[in-house]
Amino acid sequence: MVRILHIMQSGIASKQARYLCRLVNDGLWHDVQHHVCLLGTAGSALNGDLLTQSDLFSVQFLGEFKELITHRAARRIVTQALQQNIRHLHLHGRQAFVLAAAIRKHAGDVPLRILASLDVEDLRVSSAVWPQWRMKHAGRAVDQVILNSRSGLQQCLAIMPDLAQRIRVIPKPLLHEADSHDRKWRPFPNHVLFAADFLKRGDARTVLQLAQHLQELSEAQFKIECRSNLSARTRHYFAAQAEKEGLPVTFSELDSEDDTLDALMKTDLAICPSTDPLQDAYISEAQSVGTPCIAFLKTAASESVLNGKTGYLVEQGDLHAMATILARLMRSVTSLENLGRTARGQTARLYGMDRHIEALQRVYLSDPSATTCLPRAEKKRH
């Protein structure tokens, strides 16, 4: 029996909290026992009621991950782990590498196996906060790195090239049951196209330009709803631009994941006008509820879209081609239905909790001394 101690900040987003709860409480595990350590202040989104199958203990402190605080937390973690005879630690989130280095220091000669799970945003924030030499040093403290998206692989290797043989790409599961949604495909009075999670002002400009092309190509009524994490001032600016040019584009704040899923259920098509790696998760969420997607080639999002089967891919920047496909699809509800059903089936198959747990179990139960390698799909293409 392998005993895993999950270590995660308590001030995390609800989606991450739900992920850890589902992960720990799921009944699909074999020969693995879970424990949870929370770093942060009281009143966490994670608590004993949710983590019913786990032994829960917390390390309480205030403030950011400064040097002294990190080492205090590491000392408490090592003490608690040794008291409970736990030798496998799974660190989640942007503090994983630096905290792993501190844990190694306080563990001394005690053999611990440390795994770190990160996404693209975690890597981005960590590399911005900590100097590169510190990140490289901290990376040596981790036995296995688990990335939830292939799009983060090159960024991770650029920061810490020594990790090349210790990386696994295991996509996070969708936290709702994709095949349980009773999606009813039907023609909408006004075709709604949904675009979300812009991280750059240029993505908003792209949507306005796309709307112009679509107006020129189609007489059908449509509306593009943009939910973004841009500042309120920036959203207001682009909304004013859309109104000035007579474009049916709205800009609003990006809400919780549940609100986004509800909006995607009522959407004809999901547009991915960005090249940012974080768009990959948005595309997977859309496809999971049967909303086909259109995205640019050679981006993170394009890895989730099967061209012509679950959506469409166009060359980067070719907004005329994207608008042409959109105009054609708006004339055919049958095409939208076929694309959506295929997309939902593929996403349910690839991103189910059972598949995710199976992949994690292979990592947890593997021989820590065994030589690992990158997934075959990640080999450099010539």
Side-chain angles (χ1 to χ4, degrees):
M1 175 69 69
V2 173
R3 305 179 73 194
I4 303 291
L5 174 60
H6 297 274
I7 302 169
M8 180 178 281
Q9 284 179 273
S10 63
I12 55 178
S14 60
K15 191 170 185 178
Q16 289 179 291
R18 287 166 54 213
Y19 161 70
L20 188 55
C21 293
R22 285 280 302 275
L23 187 70
V24 170
N25 294 336
D26 202 290
L28 300 173
W29 292 100
H30 302 288
D31 300 321
V32 176
Q33 183 179 14
H34 298 277
H35 306 262
V36 176
C37 173
L38 302 180
L39 304 177
T41 57
S44 167
L46 296 173
N47 55 57
D49 293 333
L50 291 174
L51 297 168
T52 56
Q53 304 300 319
S54 167
D55 292 328
L56 177 77
F57 63 86
S58 62
V59 176
Q60 304 291 342
F61 63 91
L62 297 173
E64 300 295 328
F65 272 89
K66 305 297 184 183
E67 189 81 19
L68 181 61
I69 294 175
T70 300
H71 282 276
R72 286 176 178 172
R75 185 165 53 248
R76 291 281 302 279
I77 289 168
V78 170
T79 300
Q80 294 279 13
L82 296 182
Q83 286 177 354
Q84 300 193 34
N85 195 30
I86 297 173
R87 296 295 184 270
H88 292 69
L89 309 183
H90 189 166
L91 280 58
H92 301 262
R94 60 193 58 169
Q95 84 282 11
F97 286 125
V98 175
L99 186 58
I103 288 173
R104 287 286 187 206
K105 180 177 180 179
H106 288 283
D109 296 332
V110 177
L112 293 175
R113 189 180 184 209
I114 301 180
L115 297 85
S117 285
L118 303 98
D119 58 26
V120 177
E121 183 64 11
D122 291 330
L123 283 169
R124 181 180 298 171
V125 172
S126 297
S127 59
V129 172
W130 301 98
Q132 190 168 8
W133 67 267
R134 170 67 66 83
M135 291 294 293
K136 287 183 178 181
H137 173 74
R140 299 188 185 101
V142 177
D143 295 293
Q144 192 92 53
V145 177
I146 299 173
L147 298 177
N148 68 8
S149 171
R150 296 186 188 279
S151 58
L153 182 62
Q154 294 305 317
Q155 185 174 354
C156 187
L157 291 178
I159 300 170
M160 292 166 288
D162 295 342
L163 293 176
Q165 301 300 316
R166 289 178 281 147
I167 296 178
R168 284 288 181 272
V169 178
I170 303 179
K172 273 191 178 179
L174 297 170
L175 298 181
H176 55 86
E177 297 301 326
D179 56 357
S180 68
H181 286 283
D182 185 22
R183 177 69 185 261
K184 298 184 184 302
W185 285 271
R186 62 192 185 281
F188 288 85
N190 295 317
H191 288 277
V192 178
L193 313 175
F194 190 78
D197 207 13
F198 303 133
L199 299 179
K200 303 180 181 69
R201 290 170 62 95
D203 299 327
R205 293 192 184 92
T206 297
V207 171
L208 296 182
Q209 294 169 1
L210 179 63
Q212 289 177 329
H213 283 286
L214 194 53
Q215 278 187 333
E216 296 170 358
L217 292 172
S218 176
E219 296 181 357
Q221 296 294 313
F222 69 91
K223 179 175 66 173
I224 300 180
E225 296 180 357
C226 302
R227 297 192 181 189
S228 73
N229 57 359
L230 291 169
S231 67
R233 182 177 179 180
T234 303
R235 291 197 308 271
H236 178 76
Y237 169 80
F238 283 109
Q241 288 291 311
E243 183 178 1
K244 179 180 178 181
E245 299 175 24
L247 299 174
V249 182
T250 62
F251 291 87
S252 59
E253 185 176 5
L254 186 66
D255 295 321
S256 69
E257 59 271 12
D258 292 329
D259 293 337
T260 301
L261 285 175
D262 181 64
L264 286 168
M265 284 284 289
K266 302 172 182 176
T267 298
D268 283 344
L269 282 156
I271 308 167
C272 183
S274 176
T275 59
D276 194 278
L278 293 179
Q279 289 283 312
D280 186 34
Y282 155 58
I283 290 293
S284 297
E285 294 281 9
Q287 292 189 138
S288 73
V289 295
T291 301
C293 303
I294 184 165
F296 291 133
L297 283 164
K298 300 179 181 179
T299 62
S302 67
E303 297 178 1
S304 303
V305 178
L306 296 178
N307 195 25
K309 296 181 179 180
T310 65
Y312 285 93
L313 300 171
V314 300
E315 292 291 338
Q316 288 190 37
D318 194 345
L319 298 181
H320 181 79
M322 184 177 280
T324 300
I325 294 173
L326 290 173
R328 184 176 74 244
L329 290 175
M330 287 195 301
R331 294 193 295 266
S332 176
V333 176
T334 302
S335 295
L336 287 174
E337 181 176 351
N338 291 337
L339 289 170
R341 289 189 187 280
T342 304
R344 188 170 66 175
Q346 173 190 258
T347 306
R349 185 176 68 256
L350 295 179
Y351 298 98
M353 180 60 80
D354 54 346
R355 185 183 179 101
H356 181 75
I357 287 178
E358 181 182 346
L360 276 181
Q361 270 194 153
R362 287 197 295 269
V363 173
Y364 289 159
L365 301 176
S366 65
D367 181 358
S369 63
T371 302
T372 60
C373 59
L374 291 175
R376 181 173 298 179
E378 294 302 325
K379 290 182 177 180
K380 186 176 181 180
R381 298 176 183 175
H382 296 285

